[in-house]
Amino acid sequence: MPTVKFKNLYLLSQVEKRALHVPLRSQKLLIQGANGFGKSVIMKSLYETLGATPNKIDDRWKKANVSSCLEFEFAGAIWFSVKAHGVLSLFDDKGNRQFWGLRLVKDWGPKLAEFFGFKLEMVDKDGETLTPPPAYLFAPFYIDQDGSWDNTWVSFRQDFYLPESARTLADYHSGIRPDGYYAAKAELTKEKIVLSSLETAVDTLRQAMTQIEEIEGTTPIYDLQEFASECDDLVAESESLLVLQARHRRTISDLHEESHLVRAEVALLRNTLNEMRGEFDLASSLPHQVECPTCGYEYQNSLTERFALIEDEGVLSKALTEAKYKLGRLTEKELAERGKLDEISASLTRVQKILETEKQSLSLNDVLVATGKTEAAKLLRVSLNEKIVAAEGSRNKTELLRASMSKFTERTRTTEIMKFYRSRLSMYSQELDVHLDAPEKQSIVSINVARGSEGPRALLAYYYAFLYTKIKFTTSIRFPVVIDSPNQQGQDKVHLPQMLKFIFDHVPDDVQTIVATEDASGLKFEGVAIATYGEAKRQILRENEFDRVKNIFDPFFQKILAAE
C-alpha cells in the first residue's frame, strides 16, 4: 500500500520575524508542552499545509500571517507542500512546481486527489458531482482536540460541508464502498448525461419524422401574407441580436481596459518587490555604520530598518498575489463574454442566410420542395437509427456500471467488514477500560460515547478499530496518524499513560504516529522520540530561526510569485 511519511515542518512569519523548524523524521514522535505553548499549532499545521482546514485558528496566529511548508516522502520521492501568499503549491525535490491552487474544491483538491490516487466522488446540494476537499482524504488519520474527542468525523468540521459526509467517509475509508465503487459511480454519472442526450435526440428526430410523414406526398400551398410575416419576424430577431452584440462588445471593452490596468499594477508591484529585495541585499552587505559621501555624517544600518524592508516585502507579496488572482478572474470573464459574442454572431449569420433564402423567388422553392421533403425524411431516418443504436449501447453501459457498483457493496463483503470492525472495537474498548453496550451492534459511523473520562477512551478505541479496518479492507494511501491532546475530560494518572501506551503500541507498523500532550515526564515508551516546543506562552515561533527558515522558503516564494 502507498504510504506517506512526514519529514519536516517549517513555519515562517514575516510579520513577526519569527520561524520554527519541526523535525518529523521519527516513526513515533511525542510533542509535549503546557497549555498555550503552541503544540496544537504544530499539529494543526501538518494537514493544513496539505489543504485541510483546522477547526479553530487562533486570532494571533491569523495576524502573524504564517507561511508553512511540509516536507514528506511518497512514492519513493521527496515532496514539499507549501501554503503561502494565499495559494497552495506542490514542489518536487528539485524545486519544480508540480501544481498549485487557490480554491480547495475547484483547483487544489482535484489535483491533490489525482496525485494521491483519491477517487472519492460526492454530490453537492445542487446535484453537481465533484471531488471533495482534501480533508475527506485525511479524515481517518487526524484526531483534533477541538471536536474529535466529543464525536466522530468532525476533525475538519468546516470542510465536511457536503451532504451525508459522516456516512460517506465511513463507507469509503472502511472499504464498504471502496475506490472501485466511486470510480464506477463517477463513470455512471457521466454516462447518464450521454444517455439523456441521446434519448432527447431520438425523441426529437421521431417528432420530425412524424411531421415530414404527415405532409409527404401533398402539394405545398404558399401564403404570401404568411411569407411576409415570417420575414418580419426574422428582421425583428436580427435587430434584437444586433442590440445584444453591441452590449457584449461594450462589456468586453470594459473588461479589457480593466485587465490592462490590473496588468500594469502587477508589473509595478513586481518591479517594486524586486527593487526592495535589492535594497535589502545592499543593506545586508553594508557595515553597521555607513558614512554619507556628501556630509561625512555616519548613519546606523540597523536591523530594525532591514526588518522593515522584509515586512514591506510581505505586504507587497500579498498585494501581488491578489492582483494576479484578480487579473485571472478578469481574463476568465473576458473569455466568457467573447464566447457569448461568438454565439450571437453565429445566430446573426444564420438569420441573415434565412432572410437571403426567403428573398429568392417562390418558383425556385416550388421546384425543390417536393424532392427536399423526401430527402429530408431519408436523412432523418438514417440519423434516427444511429441514435437508437447509440442509446441502446449507452443503456447497456449504465447497467454494467450499476452491476459493478453492486459488486462492491455485496452483503457478504459488508458483513465481513462490520464483523472485523466490531471485533476490534470490543477488544480495544476492554484494553482502554471502556464499557460498551452491545458492541456487536455498534455502528461504523459513530459510537455511543459515555460521559466523563470514559468518553475520550471510547473514541480512541473507535478510531483505532476503524484504522485497522481501513488497512485490512482497502488498498488506499496511508497517512501519518496525528493525535492532538488525548488528555481530555480529566484522565487520571492511570488512564492517561494507558491511552498514550495504547496509541504507540497499537499503531500499524508502517504508519507514522505523531502525538501532542501536556506532560510526558516520567513515562517511557520504546522507540518514541519526545520533543518540546514553545519558548513562551502563545509564542511557538522563534526569532533565532527566522533567517535559516526563510532561506528554505525563498526559492518557493520566487516560483510562486513569478508564476503567471
Side-chain angles (χ1 to χ4, degrees):
M1 287 184 191
T3 303
V4 170
K5 292 187 178 179
F6 295 159
K7 296 296 184 181
N8 291 286
L9 174 68
Y10 302 97
L11 303 172
L12 176 76
S13 170
Q14 297 193 81
V15 175
E16 295 186 349
K17 315 301 180 298
R18 295 174 181 269
L20 183 69
H21 169 213
V22 182
L24 301 168
R25 296 185 177 275
S26 302
Q27 185 70 7
K28 297 179 180 180
L29 176 63
L30 180 65
I31 296 175
Q32 66 174 355
N35 286 333
F37 277 75
K39 61 184 183 298
S40 288
V41 165
I42 295 173
M43 307 300 272
K44 290 177 185 292
S45 296
L46 293 172
Y47 282 113
E48 183 186 15
T49 309
L50 287 165
T53 307
N55 282 331
K56 292 182 181 179
I57 303 176
D58 185 82
D59 287 338
R60 292 186 60 179
W61 189 255
K62 292 179 183 177
K63 292 177 182 177
N65 193 24
V66 178
S67 300
S68 57
C69 170
L70 178 64
E71 178 187 353
F72 63 92
E73 182 181 350
F74 171 63
I78 298 298
W79 308 89
F80 298 85
S81 183
V82 179
K83 184 176 183 292
H85 300 299
V87 300
L88 288 153
S89 306
L90 184 75
F91 294 87
D92 62 20
D93 58 352
K94 296 179 177 59
N96 300 311
R97 198 185 196 192
Q98 301 299 303
F99 57 84
W100 65 281
L102 281 164
R103 299 167 293 184
L104 290 183
V105 178
K106 297 291 185 181
D107 303 326
W108 176 256
K111 295 170 186 174
L112 195 72
E114 182 180 359
F115 178 75
F116 284 127
F118 181 50
K119 295 183 175 63
L120 177 61
E121 298 281 346
M122 295 181 69
V123 178
D124 64 14
K125 58 183 177 62
D126 296 323
E128 181 182 352
T129 301
L130 50 79
T131 300
Y136 286 76
L137 172 59
F138 310 134
F141 304 98
Y142 181 53
I143 302 175
D144 174 52
Q145 73 162 346
D146 299 312
S148 297
W149 296 111
D150 297 318
N151 205 352
T152 59
W153 305 112
V154 293
S155 50
F156 303 105
R157 191 181 290 109
Q158 181 177 329
D159 287 347
F160 296 152
Y161 70 95
L162 294 168
E164 299 183 358
S165 285
R167 166 55 66 182
T168 301
L169 284 165
D171 285 348
Y172 174 79
H173 285 291
S174 66
I176 290 176
R177 290 183 174 177
D179 280 338
Y181 173 89
Y182 290 98
K185 184 180 179 181
E187 287 299 315
L188 178 61
T189 300
K190 296 175 185 176
E191 196 59 40
K192 281 181 177 178
I193 296 172
V194 173
L195 178 58
S196 176
S197 176
L198 288 169
E199 289 176 340
T200 300
V202 168
D203 290 341
T204 302
L205 288 168
R206 279 178 174 158
Q207 291 173 12
M209 284 291 298
T210 300
Q211 292 172 0
I212 289 289
E213 288 168 359
E214 286 176 353
I215 63 173
E216 192 171 11
T218 62
T219 302
I221 299 174
Y222 292 97
D223 186 340
L224 292 177
Q225 186 176 359
E226 182 180 346
F227 173 79
S229 175
E230 191 172 316
C231 286
D232 289 341
D233 291 341
L234 287 168
V235 170
E237 183 181 355
S238 177
E239 289 174 349
S240 176
L241 287 169
L242 285 169
V243 171
L244 283 174
Q245 187 182 56
R247 185 183 305 164
H248 281 287
R249 281 175 174 168
R250 285 196 300 272
T251 301
I252 290 172
S253 177
D254 292 341
L255 287 170
H256 187 76
E257 183 175 352
E258 188 175 357
S259 297
H260 179 74
L261 293 173
V262 175
R263 197 172 283 110
E265 180 184 349
V266 168
L268 177 62
L269 287 168
R270 184 179 284 116
N271 291 337
T272 305
L273 194 58
N274 290 335
E275 290 176 6
M276 184 167 292
R277 287 173 178 162
E279 290 177 9
F280 179 80
D281 292 340
L282 177 61
S284 299
S285 65
L286 293 173
H288 292 296
Q289 297 286 337
V290 181
E291 182 179 330
C292 175
T294 304
C295 64
Y297 187 83
E298 287 191 344
Y299 291 88
Q300 287 276 29
N301 179 21
S302 69
L303 282 173
T304 302
E305 292 168 341
R306 276 180 274 174
F307 279 142
L309 288 173
I310 298 174
E311 184 172 358
D312 290 341
E313 177 186 342
V315 173
L316 285 172
S317 297
K318 184 177 180 181
L320 178 59
T321 301
E322 291 174 350
K324 289 198 291 185
Y325 176 71
K326 183 178 180 181
L327 180 60
R329 300 295 293 174
L330 287 170
T331 303
E332 289 178 5
K333 288 181 180 179
E334 185 177 343
L335 288 173
E337 288 295 326
R338 289 188 182 279
K340 293 177 183 177
L341 185 60
D342 289 341
E343 291 175 5
I344 292 170
S345 298
S347 297
L348 270 171
T349 302
R350 174 183 58 80
V351 171
Q352 288 166 0
K353 284 184 178 179
I354 294 173
L355 280 170
E356 289 172 3
T357 302
E358 293 284 3
K359 290 176 183 177
Q360 302 299 317
S361 64
L362 288 176
S363 59
L364 176 61
N365 194 47
D366 290 342
V367 174
L368 298 175
V369 69
T371 304
K373 286 188 295 182
T374 302
E375 291 301 317
K378 289 180 181 178
L379 291 172
L380 286 174
R381 286 192 188 99
V382 172
S383 182
L384 176 60
N385 290 335
E386 289 176 350
K387 297 297 183 186
I388 289 173
V389 171
E392 187 61 27
S394 179
R395 202 171 288 112
N396 291 335
K397 188 173 181 180
T398 60
E399 291 304 317
L400 288 173
L401 289 168
R402 285 194 181 97
S404 177
M405 290 170 63
S406 298
K407 181 185 69 175
F408 287 109
T409 55
E410 291 177 351
R411 183 176 295 275
T412 53
R413 174 182 169 84
T414 301
T415 300
E416 182 185 5
I417 292 172
M418 292 301 299
K419 183 178 179 181
F420 178 86
Y421 156 72
R422 286 165 175 162
S423 172
R424 289 280 175 156
L425 179 62
S426 178
M427 180 173 63
Y428 293 158
S429 297
Q430 292 177 20
E431 288 189 39
L432 289 166
D433 192 19
V434 172
H435 173 72
L436 282 182
D437 292 329
E440 71 282 357
K441 296 181 179 179
Q442 289 289 338
S443 166
I444 200 166
V445 180
S446 62
I447 59 170
N448 296 322
V449 179
R451 293 183 178 180
S453 63
E454 192 173 341
R457 299 200 303 278
L459 283 163
L460 180 59
Y462 169 83
Y463 293 134
Y464 265 57
F466 190 94
L467 178 63
Y468 270 92
T469 304
K470 174 180 176 62
I471 288 173
K472 181 172 177 62
F473 292 99
T474 74
T475 57
S476 56
I477 190 169
R478 302 178 186 178
F479 287 91
V481 172
V482 176
I483 301 177
D484 191 5
S485 304
N487 187 14
Q488 303 290 322
Q489 299 295 332
Q491 301 297 323
D492 58 31
K493 293 182 180 180
V494 174
H495 286 116
L496 179 57
Q498 181 186 50
M499 290 178 74
L500 293 172
K501 187 175 188 304
F502 175 89
I503 288 169
F504 288 115
D505 286 353
H506 288 76
V507 71
D509 291 337
D510 61 341
V511 176
Q512 186 181 20
T513 314
I514 303 171
V515 181
T517 190
E518 291 178 18
D519 186 12
S521 59
L523 302 178
K524 293 183 179 180
F525 305 106
E526 186 177 350
V528 178
I530 299 177
T532 303
Y533 295 95
E535 295 182 331
K537 197 162 187 177
R538 295 183 178 85
Q539 187 56 72
I540 186 72
L541 304 182
R542 302 170 178 175
E543 290 183 4
N544 60 1
E545 293 194 31
F546 179 77
D547 290 336
R548 181 171 61 86
V549 173
K550 187 175 182 297
N551 287 336
I552 292 170
F553 274 91
D554 278 341
F556 300 132
F557 286 166
Q558 291 173 13
K559 293 285 178 66
I560 292 169
L561 295 172
E564 295 296 334

